[in-house]
Amino acid sequence: MKAVTWQGKRDVRVENVPDPTIQEPTDAVIRITSSGLCGSDLHLYEVLTPFMTPGDILGHEPMGIVEEVGAGVPDLKAGDRVVVPFQIACGSCWMCENSLPTQCETTQVTGEGMGAALFGYTRLYGSVPGAQAEYLRVPQAQFGPIKVPEGPPDDRFVYLSDVLPTAWQAVAYADVPQGGSVAVLGLGPIGDMACRVAQLRGAGTVFGVDLVTERLRRARQRGVETFDLRDFDDEKELVGAIRDRTAGRGPDAVIDAVGTEAHGSAAARLAQNATALLPRKLSGPFAERFSVDRLAALYTAIDLVRRGGTISLSGVYGGMADPLPLLTLFDKQIQLRMGQANVRRWVDDILPHLTDEDVLGVEDFATHRVPLDEAPHAYEMFQRKQDGAVKVLMKPGVS
C-alpha cells in the first residue's frame, strides 16, 4: 500500500509499504477514505525529530471502512463505516473506566514513561504505524473505532478522530461561565473549532488571536472578535486591548491552542534546531532531559487571563526543562488544565451536533482536500501557512 513516511526534518515521502494485517484478536484493519493533516504532525515535521525513525508512517486522524476484524472484536464487521480516535485504548482498565483513555493502562508506553499509545506519533507513544495511508491496522478495536452512519460525506464525521474532541475538551477544561468570556490563542484547526464549541456551549464573548489573515477571517465570519498579532508592537499591547474589552480584568478563561510552535524565544528555537542536528543516539536523550519549548503563547495566556480564571492547554508542548512563572500562577490563583483529548469521553456529547444542521460547520471546515500522493506538498503548504491552508484532508485512492 501507499503511506506517508517520515524521512527526516521537513522530509516526508509517499512510499510503498507492506499492507497491515490482523496480528491480535482485538485488531481490525480498515481501508482509509479520509485522513487529516494535523498541527501535531508539524511537530514531527520539525520539532520532535529526535524521537522519530526514518520510515515511520505518519497520521492520526482517520476514518474509513472496516475490511477485516479479529475474533476479539464482537461489535464490528466488514463494511462498517468508522472513525478511529488518535489514541489507542482498551476501554476496560481503571483509567479507561474513569474516562481517561489517553492514560490507558493496557497501552501505556511504560518504557518511555508516557501515556497511551498513539497512531503515527514517535517512539515516545509506541511508534504505531499511522493513518496517512491506504490501510490501517487498529489495535484495541473492541473499543476504539466509532461507528458512524452511511450517507453524509466523510467531512461530517472525520473530525471525531481528533479535532472535535480536542476542541471540546479544551473548552470543557476552560470552564467558561455561561455568558462569560474566553480568549483562544491560535486559530488553526483546534483553535478555530474551539471558538465554535465555546459559542455552542454558551460563552458570551469569544476572542480569537492569530497572525494569519485567512484564519482570522474564518473566525470573524462566525462571530469571533479577532485580534491580529501583527497590529501590536508587543504582547503587552495585545493583553491591554483584550482587557479593555473585559472591564480591565481579562477573560474568564484562555485556551492555548498554539503550543510549542508559538513565535517567541529565539534561544528556545535555537535549542530545538540544535537538538535536531545531533546524532540520533544523542538527540533523543538530550531532548528528553534538556529540551525547552517556545512558550510565548503560554506566557501570554498567563498574563491575559483574569485573576481566578482558568487556562486550558490543548497545544502540544514537549519540553522537559521549561521555566514557568510559578509566582504569577500562584498569585493570580490561576487554574491550569491540560492533556491529550480523551476522545471516547466526549463522543456522545458531540455526535448530536453533527446533524443535518451542521451547527459546527464541519462540512466546509477543510480548506484543502488532496490525494495521498500530494502529502509532501500538503505538509510544506500547511507548515508555511500558504494558500490559506487551515485544515487539510488527504484522500487515499483519489488521484
Side-chain angles (χ1 to χ4, degrees):
M1 70 171 183
K2 291 181 178 179
V4 180
T5 64
W6 185 92
Q7 298 297 333
K9 183 174 180 178
R10 300 179 192 162
D11 182 4
V12 301
R13 305 174 195 174
V14 179
E15 297 188 319
N16 287 313
V17 302
D19 290 349
T21 60
I22 299 292
Q23 299 178 23
E24 302 289 342
T26 51
D27 286 352
V29 173
I30 70 166
R31 173 175 57 84
I32 295 173
T33 55
S34 292
S35 190
L37 173 55
C38 178
S40 297
D41 293 323
L42 296 185
H43 298 304
L44 312 182
Y45 192 62
E46 182 162 3
V47 177
L48 298 179
T49 57
F51 305 111
M52 300 294 290
T53 302
D56 284 348
I57 300 175
L58 301 172
H60 58 271
E61 297 186 349
M63 72 173 292
I65 306 299
V66 175
E67 292 281 302
E68 186 180 1
V69 297
V73 185
D75 296 326
L76 286 183
K77 65 182 185 302
D80 283 345
R81 190 185 192 199
V82 296
V83 178
V84 181
F86 69 89
Q87 71 244 191
I88 301 168
C90 71
S92 57
C93 69
W94 189 91
M95 290 290 181
C96 287
E97 289 184 345
N98 283 275
S99 300
L100 289 168
T102 56
Q103 311 303 325
C104 175
E105 292 170 317
T106 300
T107 72
Q108 277 180 15
V109 187
T110 54
E112 301 288 351
M114 305 299 279
L118 309 179
F119 287 105
Y121 216 78
T122 85
R123 67 170 172 79
L124 295 179
Y125 289 100
S127 294
V128 181
Q132 290 168 7
E134 293 181 305
Y135 293 90
L136 176 70
R137 171 181 167 250
V138 181
Q140 304 297 329
Q142 81 286 350
F143 175 69
I146 303 158
K147 287 196 281 190
V148 296
E150 298 292 338
D154 280 10
D155 293 49
R156 185 62 65 98
F157 302 113
V158 66
Y159 303 115
L160 284 169
S161 60
D162 183 350
V163 173
L164 278 166
T166 297
W168 197 277
Q169 179 172 293
V171 175
Y173 279 9
D175 197 24
V176 187
Q178 286 293 303
S181 57
V182 58
V184 179
L185 306 182
L187 296 174
I190 302 303
D192 186 339
M193 188 58 73
C195 290
R196 303 180 189 201
V197 171
Q199 292 169 326
L200 181 69
R201 289 172 59 102
T205 306
V206 179
F207 305 108
V209 180
D210 208 293
L211 44 65
V212 180
T213 300
E214 174 64 17
R215 296 179 177 188
L216 291 161
R217 182 191 64 78
R218 278 167 56 104
R220 203 160 43 241
Q221 287 178 337
R222 297 189 68 92
V224 175
E225 187 172 341
T226 59
F227 293 80
D228 189 335
L229 279 172
R230 296 168 297 186
D231 293 339
F232 301 92
D233 290 335
D234 54 32
E235 173 256 357
K236 294 293 184 184
E237 280 194 11
L238 169 68
V239 169
I242 298 177
R243 281 183 180 161
D244 286 345
R245 299 284 295 112
T246 54
R249 286 186 294 270
D252 299 305
V254 176
I255 295 171
D256 174 0
V258 179
T260 193
E261 289 291 323
H263 295 269
S265 168
R269 181 171 181 81
L270 181 63
Q272 290 173 349
N273 290 339
T275 300
L277 295 174
L278 289 172
R280 184 162 301 279
K281 289 184 178 180
L282 298 178
S283 62
F286 184 91
E288 288 179 45
R289 296 186 60 189
F290 304 115
S291 59
V292 293
D293 289 301
R294 301 171 72 194
L295 296 173
L298 179 55
Y299 290 154
T300 298
I302 293 168
D303 195 11
L304 177 59
V305 71
R306 69 161 168 81
R307 291 178 177 273
T310 302
I311 295 174
S312 173
L313 301 185
S314 63
V316 173
Y317 286 97
M320 295 294 286
D322 292 326
L324 286 177
L326 291 176
L327 174 61
T328 303
L329 286 164
F330 182 84
D331 178 65
K332 291 187 71 174
Q333 202 166 330
I334 292 170
Q335 301 176 77
L336 185 62
R337 297 196 70 182
M338 68 190 80
Q340 304 275 11
N342 297 289
V343 174
R344 292 303 298 260
R345 163 67 179 84
W346 308 109
V347 166
D348 289 344
D349 294 331
I350 297 168
L351 271 172
H353 302 291
L354 304 182
T355 63
D356 291 340
E357 296 180 17
D358 191 16
V359 293
L360 291 169
V362 291
E363 283 200 11
D364 61 1
F365 189 70
T367 54
H368 294 73
R369 297 169 182 81
V370 303
L372 195 67
D373 287 338
E374 295 183 15
H377 169 68
Y379 268 83
E380 182 179 11
M381 174 182 65
F382 190 36
Q383 197 264 345
R384 295 185 177 183
K385 301 177 175 65
Q386 296 173 336
D387 194 29
V390 177
K391 185 61 182 179
V392 180
L393 292 180
M394 298 179 191
K395 298 287 188 176
V398 175
S399 58

